[in-house]
Amino acid sequence: MVTTDTTATTPVGFRQAFRKDLENWDPNCPHSWNSKVAWSTLWVTTFNLVLAFIIWYLPGALVPTLGTLTGWNLSDTQSYWLLAMPGLSGGILRLVWMTLPPMVGTRKMLVLSTLLMLIPFLGWTWVVTLPQQPAYGLLLALALAAGIGGGVFSGYMPSTSYFFPKSRQGTALGLQAGIGNFGVSIVQFVVPWAIGFSMFGIAGQISRTTSGEQEVWLQNPGLIFIPFAVIGFILAWTMLKSVPMKSNIKQQFDIFNNKHTWLMTMQYVLTFGIFSGLAGTFGMLLKSQFGPEYIKWVFLGALVGSLVRMSWGPLCDRFGGGIWTFVAGVGMAVSAGVVLYGQVSAGADGPSFAVFMTGMLMIFFFAGIGNASTFKQMPMIFNARQAGGVIGWTAGIAAFGPFLFSIAFSYLSREMVFSIVIIYALACAATSWHFYARPGAEAKS
């Protein structure tokens, strides 16, 4: 139960319009919960979460295109390292943001986060207009800065869990994370479209492809999204309130004494770690295997995963999360097997695009199910304060997915990478069945 330190008896609905902190707030008590406050918090936070995923994956959408520009000679290894940096910093920053909700509150956290996200938005808008490739270190720094968008997730999601009763957290968190994940597909869809026309008379750059030369405007995506970031800041400043649930760093670290923290981390690395990792490298995989013209399909993976994650929350509320996490593990193993089959059976003309896309979209589909189900499980397994910490921790570790997959595809064969995915998915499915899904499971959830 989430409570405040105050002894005031005024109903929550009366004072909340005049305070930035909620009084007498207990989402599991109908008399101490205000659904309007909860849902408005969800939608404002979700709007900003979409922007966070957009900036997190903006380098991944731009980098494959940079290699075709005059003066930008990026090798595949350099490109993969640029794709890896947002995942590295995003994972590290998630470990920081996971501690913020009970320390600074939802409102302050959102305001600060939105302001920080403006830095990489402005940086990537500027750097792509340079006539020649800048120092590679600058590109790495901006890629690291984009990780701010990945880091805030571990603060946004736990703070949202403070606002909803356990019976609705599967739906609420599924909606927030699912819609937030749309930021990945939005930026992957918008970048190829937005770079094709001039805005405000600004000059573009020459791109050389197999079909000839064309002018592109790589600064457009940043210019398009910056106003939305400003709107997100205004919404957070004016509409959000905080649940005054305080705990220090030492108190938050008691989650590591519970074995289920580690087991759920394993499960979420399977689902979101692979989702984020493959979403971040999907464009380079398409470009390197099938050609630059296939990058236009990159948004489909994140779109499928996000739709499923958003829609599966109610099913997890109804049937429990454990069984769906088991299904996700088995499904992801089978899906990776389809991709692996396409790789090993490739003829002289290379892998089949149809087989590759089928297997990849299947992986994203089952990852979406698992992302929804794990977020249903955690509030059921842990108490309110610990659940927020576990959500933040597991999200932080899984956020290293883009970093790990970028490094893996840079140094390992695709066959090896997808073989590892199959083995790991089956191990997670067995763990989920034993501890959370089978009849009489230790922590059936």
Side-chain angles (χ1 to χ4, degrees):
M1 183 174 76
V2 181
T3 60
T4 71
D5 295 328
T6 180
T7 56
T9 57
T10 307
V12 64
F14 181 77
R15 288 195 178 183
Q16 64 195 20
F18 305 99
R19 295 177 57 89
K20 297 305 180 183
D21 285 346
L22 296 169
E23 290 187 326
N24 307 319
W25 184 264
D26 179 4
N28 293 300
C29 175
H31 301 293
S32 303
W33 182 61
N34 188 310
S35 62
K36 183 178 180 180
V37 171
W39 285 103
S40 64
T41 300
L42 176 69
W43 294 125
V44 172
T45 308
T46 300
F47 179 84
N48 281 281
L49 188 59
V50 172
L51 293 170
F53 274 95
I54 286 173
I55 189 55
W56 196 22
Y57 281 85
L58 181 60
L62 286 173
V63 165
T65 306
L66 292 179
T68 65
L69 288 175
T70 301
W72 291 73
N73 299 312
L74 296 173
S75 67
D76 281 355
T77 299
Q78 287 179 313
S79 296
Y80 274 121
W81 272 104
L82 285 177
L83 298 180
M85 290 303 100
L88 176 63
S89 58
I92 294 172
L93 290 174
R94 282 192 177 190
L95 302 181
V96 176
W97 254 260
M98 64 174 278
T99 66
L100 296 184
M103 295 177 64
V104 303
T106 299
R107 180 174 179 270
K108 290 180 182 179
M109 180 185 62
L110 263 290
V111 169
L112 171 65
S113 301
T114 308
L115 285 176
L116 288 175
M117 283 191 290
L118 283 170
I119 297 173
F121 268 127
L122 292 168
W124 279 99
T125 301
W126 162 70
V127 76
V128 294
T129 64
L130 299 178
Q132 298 294 326
Q133 179 177 333
Y136 187 64
L138 175 59
L139 296 178
L140 288 174
L142 286 174
L144 284 168
I148 294 171
V152 302
F153 182 92
S154 281
Y156 289 15
M157 295 295 290
S159 70
T160 298
S161 70
Y162 300 160
F163 287 85
F164 286 87
K166 286 189 175 183
S167 61
R168 303 191 186 187
Q169 285 189 12
T171 297
L173 296 179
L175 283 172
Q176 182 171 30
I179 295 174
N181 288 168
F182 276 124
V184 183
S185 54
I186 288 172
V187 72
Q188 291 174 337
F189 177 80
V190 166
V191 167
W193 164 76
I195 65 177
F197 61 89
S198 174
M199 292 176 60
F200 313 116
I202 301 175
Q205 303 102 314
I206 298 299
S207 172
R208 287 197 172 98
T209 65
T210 56
S211 58
E213 292 187 357
Q214 62 180 11
E215 193 171 10
V216 293
W217 291 264
L218 293 176
Q219 68 272 19
N220 283 358
L223 291 174
I224 289 172
F225 292 124
I226 286 173
F228 290 98
V230 174
I231 292 172
F233 166 76
I234 295 173
L235 291 174
W237 180 269
T238 58
M239 294 184 63
L240 291 183
K241 302 180 186 296
S242 298
V243 175
M245 183 176 70
K246 303 296 183 182
S247 64
N248 57 38
I249 296 292
K250 183 178 180 180
Q251 290 171 325
Q252 294 187 57
F253 281 0
D254 65 358
I255 63 175
F256 300 120
N257 297 325
N258 190 328
K259 71 177 180 182
H260 293 289
T261 298
W262 304 104
L263 294 175
M264 290 309 301
T265 301
M266 177 184 180
Q267 303 298 320
Y268 199 59
V269 166
L270 170 71
T271 58
F272 185 76
I274 291 178
F275 169 88
S276 62
L278 289 180
T281 54
F282 201 9
M284 280 298 297
L285 290 176
L286 288 170
K287 177 186 175 182
S288 60
Q289 286 200 123
F290 305 105
E293 62 273 20
Y294 285 87
I295 295 177
K296 63 185 178 181
W297 302 112
V298 67
F299 74 96
L300 286 175
L303 177 64
V304 168
S306 301
L307 280 171
V308 173
R309 182 172 193 169
M310 181 181 67
S311 61
W312 231 262
L315 290 173
C316 295
D317 279 337
R318 181 174 180 181
F319 298 105
I323 187 63
W324 288 117
T325 303
F326 168 73
V327 170
V330 174
M332 292 179 73
V334 173
S335 305
V338 173
V339 178
L340 180 61
Y341 169 78
Q343 297 291 320
V344 299
S345 64
D349 296 331
S352 165
F353 177 71
V355 173
F356 176 78
M357 284 296 291
T358 298
M360 290 292 287
L361 294 182
M362 287 173 61
I363 292 176
F364 283 110
F365 177 88
F366 286 105
I369 292 177
N371 286 331
S373 61
T374 49
F375 268 56
K376 171 61 180 178
Q377 287 181 266
M378 286 181 272
M380 301 300 294
I381 297 171
F382 304 92
N383 63 44
R385 180 183 61 78
Q386 286 188 322
V390 173
I391 288 173
W393 164 258
T394 58
I397 298 302
F400 287 105
F403 173 75
L404 295 175
F405 272 87
S406 296
I407 300 304
F409 283 125
S410 183
Y411 295 102
L412 301 176
S413 68
R414 292 171 178 80
E415 292 83 354
M416 178 65 71
V417 172
F418 286 103
S419 295
I420 294 172
V421 170
I422 293 172
I423 295 170
Y424 186 71
L426 290 175
C428 288
T431 301
S432 180
W433 175 259
H434 178 76
F435 287 99
Y436 306 116
R438 66 182 175 86
E442 177 181 328
K444 196 169 180 61
S445 53

